[in-house]
């Protein structure tokens, strides 16, 4: 067997009861498949923080820096951790309820509160630099440029704030449907544009300078009679690979879009709430049934499909050398070959396993983060 020499940081958070409980009508998770592991996994360190999100279904992502990782919990506790040892370096109590984060860079850390605030923490002093009110809750991590901070609020607004002071610079909004997923579309920032999917199934490219629309296209069109059938929220992770923007929506399509012109290069029916991951040859995604797909990056054709994780509520697949990694609602990490989707390793890191409960969590909600290549 070959031992993995790299590091994978995993953040196990609470999932909705509907995802993991046995007292509802949800489809039971597929049983674990037997296979002969070809990789050996070893835990390097673990740390318990106040990161639980209870039943709020919050994606409070950690911020990975060169030698530190910034972890935030719903209770307002921000923990600075040494990446190599897992040693707790600093704990910051914001005395508020957090709903989004952690965005930023080495110099500025960004978090959002339940009361509709954005908080900026100075990375050098770990003191609050500014704290401002925004239109509503922010559920995804803000992104920033040299001069601005960009955030997406639950009422459908995209806002730009001054990085130095938090002062509002511009805002953009589209009509929000009556029913949406609990979350917001990922913000993808370039030098002069910001791209995002909207709750109504549209994709927009906005000017970083003033928020003006550069292009606006429909990834998906609502179908059916009920509000649930017509839900086409673009709510997951999107990626820009070269000049091509890759994105997937719920009850809609997965597509490759020319990022300069807003023209579709290809699109196909697909339903995902977690979004996409891209490499030079393929687009990877977990669909709403927890099937993991690899599609040809240039045509959208199916390269392979792994169905043995059905109803395990897997995260978006993450690239890890020649492997893909997903976490599931029972606390397992599944390692698959990126070339054919076959299983090569599995480890229980949080939640209820076959024999015991390893921690108080009930599954992995945020995708793993890869460090050291």
């Amino acid at each position: 067997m070959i031992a993995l020499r790299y590091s994978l940081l995993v953040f196990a958070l609470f999932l909705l009861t509907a995802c993991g409980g046995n007292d509802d009508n949800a489809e039971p998770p597929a049983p674990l498949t037997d296979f002969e592991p070809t990789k050996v996994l070893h835990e390097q360190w673990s740390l318990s923080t106040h990161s639980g999100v209870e039943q709020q279904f919050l994606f409070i992502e950690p911020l990975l820096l060169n030698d530190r990782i910034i972890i935030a919990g719903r209770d307002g506790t921000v923990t600075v951790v040494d990446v190599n040892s897992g040693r707790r370096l600093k704990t910051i109590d914001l005395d508020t309820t957090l709903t989004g984060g952690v965005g930023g860079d080495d110099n500025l850390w960004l978090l959002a509160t339940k009361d509709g605030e954005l908080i900026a923490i100075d990375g050098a002093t770990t003191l609050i630099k500014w704290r401002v009110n925004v239109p509503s809750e922010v559920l995804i991590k803000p992104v920033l440029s040299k001069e601005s901070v960009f955030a997406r609020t639950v009422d459908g607004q995209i806002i730009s704030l001054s990085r130095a002071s938090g002062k509002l610079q511009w805002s953009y909004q589209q009509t929000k449907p009556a029913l949406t997923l609990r979350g917001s579309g990922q913000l993808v920032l370039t030098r002069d544009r910001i791209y995002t999917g909207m709750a109504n199934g549209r994709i927009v490219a906005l000017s970083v300078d003033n928020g003006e629309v550069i292009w606006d296209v429909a990834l998906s069109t609502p179908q059916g009679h009920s509000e649930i059938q017509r839900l086409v929220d673009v709510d997951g992770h999107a990626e820009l690979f070269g000049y091509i923007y890759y994105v997937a929506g719920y009850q809609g399509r997965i597509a490759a879009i020319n990022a300069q012109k807003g023209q579709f290069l290809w699109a196909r029916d697909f339903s995902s709430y977690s979004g996409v991951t891209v490499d030079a040859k393929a687009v990877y995604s977990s669909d709403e049934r927890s099937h993991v797909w690899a599609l040809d990056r240039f045509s959208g054709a199916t390269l392979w499909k792994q169905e043995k994780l059905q109803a395990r509520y897997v995260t978006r697949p993450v690239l890890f050398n020649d492997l893909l990694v997903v976490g599931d609602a029972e606390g397992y990490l599944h390692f698959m070959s990126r070339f054919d989707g076959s299983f090569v390793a599995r480890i229980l890191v949080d939640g209820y396993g076959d024999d015991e409960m390893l921690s108080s969590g009930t599954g992995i909600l945020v995708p793993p983060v890869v460090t050291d290549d």
Side-chain angles (χ1 to χ4, degrees):
M1 293 186 181
I2 304 173
L4 291 175
R5 294 171 177 259
Y6 304 100
S7 299
L8 192 75
L9 300 176
V10 183
F11 301 88
L13 305 177
F14 290 98
L15 280 173
L16 284 169
T17 302
C19 292
N22 296 317
D23 56 349
D24 54 46
N25 296 321
E27 179 182 4
L32 295 176
T33 303
D34 292 331
F35 63 92
E36 186 65 33
T38 57
K39 304 286 186 182
V40 178
L41 306 173
H42 299 287
E43 184 179 284
Q44 294 180 305
W45 57 260
S46 65
L47 176 71
S48 179
T49 68
H50 296 285
S51 300
V53 296
E54 299 177 346
Q55 296 181 6
Q56 303 298 314
F57 207 61
L58 300 175
F59 292 84
I60 305 181
E61 298 185 37
L63 175 63
L64 177 64
L65 304 173
N66 289 328
D67 57 354
R68 295 171 297 169
I69 190 143
I70 316 302
I71 304 168
R74 185 174 181 269
D75 67 346
T77 302
V78 179
T79 307
V80 184
V81 178
D82 181 270
V83 166
N84 297 311
S85 67
R87 183 167 60 92
R88 196 188 310 262
L89 302 176
K90 178 83 174 181
T91 300
I92 306 165
D93 187 2
L94 296 178
D95 191 27
T96 188
T97 301
L98 298 177
T99 57
V102 183
D105 56 19
D106 282 287
N107 300 314
L108 196 69
W109 310 337
L110 301 165
L111 303 108
T113 77
K114 182 181 179 182
D115 296 325
E117 288 182 307
L118 272 183
I119 301 174
I121 297 177
D122 186 288
T125 65
T126 68
L127 299 175
I128 294 177
K129 184 173 184 179
W130 48 258
R131 187 170 187 160
V132 299
N133 290 314
V134 295
S136 60
E137 285 181 282
V138 173
L139 298 181
I140 61 168
K141 65 180 181 181
V143 299
L144 53 78
S145 65
K146 290 183 178 180
E147 298 179 351
S148 301
V149 171
F150 304 92
R152 172 77 178 275
T153 62
V154 294
D155 65 354
Q157 293 193 54
I158 301 164
I159 58 175
S160 171
L161 309 173
S162 166
R163 175 168 176 153
S165 65
K167 182 181 178 180
L168 180 67
Q169 298 176 144
W170 57 257
S171 66
Y172 170 83
Q173 187 173 23
Q174 288 189 2
T175 301
K176 183 179 178 181
L179 184 64
T180 68
L181 296 178
R182 172 69 171 168
S184 300
Q186 183 79 27
L187 299 175
V188 177
L189 179 66
T190 65
R191 181 181 60 83
D192 60 348
R193 298 183 184 188
I194 190 162
Y195 304 88
T196 189
M198 309 298 287
N200 58 7
R202 303 192 70 84
I203 310 294
V204 295
L206 305 175
S207 167
V208 166
D209 294 330
N210 54 28
E212 289 186 357
V213 178
I214 298 171
W215 53 256
D216 177 348
V217 298
L219 175 66
S220 307
T221 303
Q223 305 287 333
H225 299 289
S226 71
E227 292 295 340
I228 292 179
Q229 291 173 329
R230 296 176 61 80
L231 200 162
V232 289
D233 205 339
V234 183
D235 207 32
H237 180 86
E239 286 197 12
L240 191 64
F241 195 97
Y243 68 92
I244 305 177
Y245 179 77
Y246 294 91
V247 63
Y250 182 70
Q251 295 188 153
R253 296 192 295 175
I254 187 170
I257 302 173
N258 182 307
Q260 294 299 311
K261 302 177 180 179
Q263 297 175 342
F264 284 90
L265 302 177
W266 58 260
R268 58 180 288 180
D269 290 344
F270 201 80
S271 181
S272 173
Y273 51 79
S274 62
V276 301
T277 295
V278 184
D279 66 14
K281 295 184 178 180
V283 180
Y284 308 95
S285 186
S286 305
D287 69 18
E288 63 177 333
R289 303 185 68 193
S290 289
H291 298 165
V292 181
W293 297 68
L295 308 180
D296 184 273
R297 186 169 73 84
F298 302 99
S299 67
T302 301
L303 299 177
W304 54 260
K305 178 182 178 183
Q306 175 57 265
E307 300 181 350
K308 294 181 180 179
L309 299 175
Q310 183 165 314
R312 297 190 69 86
Y313 296 92
V314 301
T315 66
R316 173 176 57 88
V318 174
L319 289 166
F320 187 53
N321 301 318
D322 289 335
L323 306 176
L324 286 178
V325 190
V326 297
D328 73 17
E330 292 187 341
Y332 285 94
L333 283 178
H334 305 269
F335 292 72
M336 296 169 283
S337 166
R338 67 197 281 188
F339 304 115
D340 61 12
S342 59
F343 294 114
V344 300
R346 180 171 62 222
I347 187 171
L348 179 63
V349 296
D350 184 81
Y352 291 92
D354 292 337
D355 301 318
E356 61 180 341
M357 186 180 78
L358 295 189
S359 76
S360 60
T362 56
I364 300 171
L365 181 60
V366 175
V369 180
V370 176
T371 184
D372 294 337
D373 199 24

